[in-house]
Amino acid sequence: MSATCGLVDLFGRRVSYLRLSVTDRCDLRCVYCMSENMSFLPRKELLTIEELDRLASAFVARGVSKIRITGGEPLVRRGVMDLFAGLSRHLASGALKELTLTTNGTQLARRAADLARLGVRRVNVSLDTLDAERYRALTRRGALGPVMEGLQAALAAGLKVKLNAVALRGTTEDEIDDLIAFAHGHGMDLTLIETMPLGDTGEDRTAQYLPLTELRRRIETRWTLTDTVERSGGPARYVRVAETGGRIGFITPMTHTFCESCNRVRVSATGVLYTCLGQEDRIDLKPALRGSEADGRLHAAIDAGIRGKPRGHDFAIGRGGAPGLVRHMSALGG
Ligand code: SAM
Ligand code: SF4
């Protein structure tokens, strides 16, 4: 297969979007994402910044036009700004249309201006609550103040910000009106995500789970929602809120599927290509990356992975609220 061919899977879907995890580590331990005592990968198992650049660049050569850097928390990875700096050359050449990241925002205050300078235009910031005590409890350690400063810095740097909030029974139900007012008051979209049963968190998934159909009904008691056909290249369905003019996105992997139009693949920080967030299909790209300085083997391995991209996911909360997949969300970055 030529290294210049696009990436099209067996179901005719063109892969144009890469989510690249740069670390499995994080400064937080969100209750729906990680367990209190996580064991992280030995650092030597992670791809180096140079390897991450080479790998991402191979995908760009195959027609990937959007890259999202994620984690774990991407901004705690040492050297991550060098990766942004390196990949920005593909923005300059026009091969890459978008370079972006998903972050918990704790380090954003000191990174936002540089990210904007390197060509990042949009950033997703995960924030589930506006209450400092609740934030500490949900993240098991975080402080809300730095995240708020990070949001301010991002907006001041001209970045378009989207807030991601996971729908949690008890929490989101109380705060949804405040989250909408806060996000839209600052010109930010808000995306609500159903919790997915990934990895053991030491928490009961069934107790946390709040279906977005239910949350939407609640939102509609206060706000006027109009469905839109707008898409952001991701799985979110958007509605517009008449009172604010802002948008709310709904990501509903548990109650709907969006696999027919899936254009994305994920690579872990160790160089494993996962072709579906909800399945275990994967191929390790590291041997190809490390085994040869030329990219031929790497492209062949990527092709083999894309050929194995499954038709769709099969999420289910296991009996007793157990996770449906043993892998944590932080291994792949959502
Ligand atoms: N640390 C960064 C952050 O929090 O934005 C990036 C990685 S984090 C794994 C990416 C996204 O996954 C976050 O928006 C987080 O809320 C979401 N997430 C984590 N665990 C989840 C789960 N079990 N179900 C649904 N979303 C989850
Ligand atoms: Fe860290 Fe993001 Fe997972 Fe929270 S959701 S523990 S911030 S990786």
Side-chain angles (χ1 to χ4, degrees):
M1 180 78 54
S2 155
T4 52
C5 286
L7 299 171
V8 181
D9 74 7
L10 294 181
F11 304 99
R13 295 170 299 188
R14 181 172 292 278
V15 172
S16 58
Y17 180 5
L18 170 67
R19 299 174 74 110
L20 179 60
S21 175
V22 295
T23 179
D24 64 330
R25 288 168 199 256
C26 187
D27 52 339
L28 304 180
R29 296 287 183 278
C30 301
V31 292
Y32 47 79
C33 178
M34 291 194 181
S35 63
E36 174 85 61
N37 299 306
M38 291 289 288
S39 37
F40 294 110
L41 295 165
R43 284 202 167 81
K44 63 176 183 340
E45 283 190 27
L46 300 187
L47 298 187
T48 64
I49 293 296
E50 292 71 24
E51 286 169 336
L52 288 164
D53 183 310
R54 186 175 152 208
L55 192 143
S57 300
F59 277 92
V60 173
R62 304 298 299 279
V64 161
S65 58
K66 174 171 175 177
I67 297 179
R68 178 176 298 280
I69 303 296
T70 180
E73 174 46 41
L75 295 182
V76 304
R77 170 73 199 257
R78 190 174 303 158
V80 72
M81 296 308 288
D82 296 334
L83 181 65
F84 279 101
L87 294 180
S88 69
R89 72 185 183 281
H90 300 303
L91 290 170
S93 78
L96 193 58
K97 301 281 175 273
E98 177 158 33
L99 177 60
T100 183
L101 73 155
T102 301
T103 173
N104 61 27
T106 60
Q107 319 290 312
L108 203 50
R110 63 193 178 102
R111 296 296 187 213
D114 281 341
L115 288 167
R117 185 177 52 77
L118 293 171
V120 172
R121 296 281 162 262
R122 301 194 295 173
V123 53
N124 288 3
V125 180
S126 303
L127 184 62
D128 307 314
T129 175
L130 299 169
D131 177 273
E133 260 174 54
R134 205 175 241 174
Y135 185 82
R136 178 164 297 275
L138 272 180
T139 60
R140 297 200 186 95
R141 61 193 60 190
L144 188 59
V147 180
M148 291 298 175
E149 286 163 27
L151 288 175
Q152 267 176 10
L155 294 170
L159 294 173
K160 192 114 187 63
V161 179
K162 188 171 84 178
L163 288 188
N164 282 347
V166 166
L168 295 167
R169 187 156 303 282
T171 306
T172 327
E173 289 165 307
D174 298 353
E175 284 200 48
I176 188 63
D177 294 334
D178 294 341
L179 278 169
I180 294 170
F182 174 74
H184 293 180
H186 291 86
M188 304 184 280
D189 280 345
L190 172 66
T191 296
L192 302 168
I193 310 173
E194 270 176 354
T195 53
M196 292 173 247
L198 293 179
D200 186 11
T201 56
E203 308 276 331
D204 180 350
R205 297 280 183 190
T206 328
Q208 288 178 342
Y209 179 57
L210 170 62
L212 288 189
T213 42
E214 186 182 329
L215 188 57
R216 178 172 173 154
R217 277 198 296 276
R218 194 181 180 94
I219 295 172
E220 283 175 321
T221 62
R222 159 93 188 264
W223 309 89
T224 317
L225 306 185
T226 317
D227 286 306
T228 74
V229 290
E230 297 161 40
R231 302 298 292 264
S232 63
R237 314 274 153 150
Y238 285 97
V239 299
R240 199 157 284 280
V241 179
E243 290 80 358
T244 63
R247 293 196 308 173
I248 304 178
F250 292 89
I251 300 185
T252 54
M254 302 295 285
T255 47
H256 293 100
T257 58
F258 35 71
C259 305
E260 331 67 66
S261 58
C262 179
N263 61 350
R264 63 190 55 201
V265 293
R266 297 168 167 82
V267 174
S268 73
T270 56
V272 178
L273 170 63
Y274 288 84
T275 48
C276 175
L277 181 61
Q279 301 278 8
E280 286 294 0
D281 298 74
R282 65 187 154 193
I283 182 163
D284 189 354
L285 303 177
K286 197 161 31 165
L289 199 58
R290 294 198 169 158
S292 160
E293 279 181 20
D295 284 343
R297 272 184 67 189
L298 179 57
H299 283 292
I302 292 172
D303 281 321
I306 300 296
R307 272 196 301 278
K309 183 169 166 63
R311 184 189 284 271
H313 71 64
D314 185 21
F315 280 125
I317 295 178
R319 281 153 64 124
L325 273 178
V326 290
R327 166 165 40 85
H328 284 96
M329 186 69 107
S330 53
L332 274 184

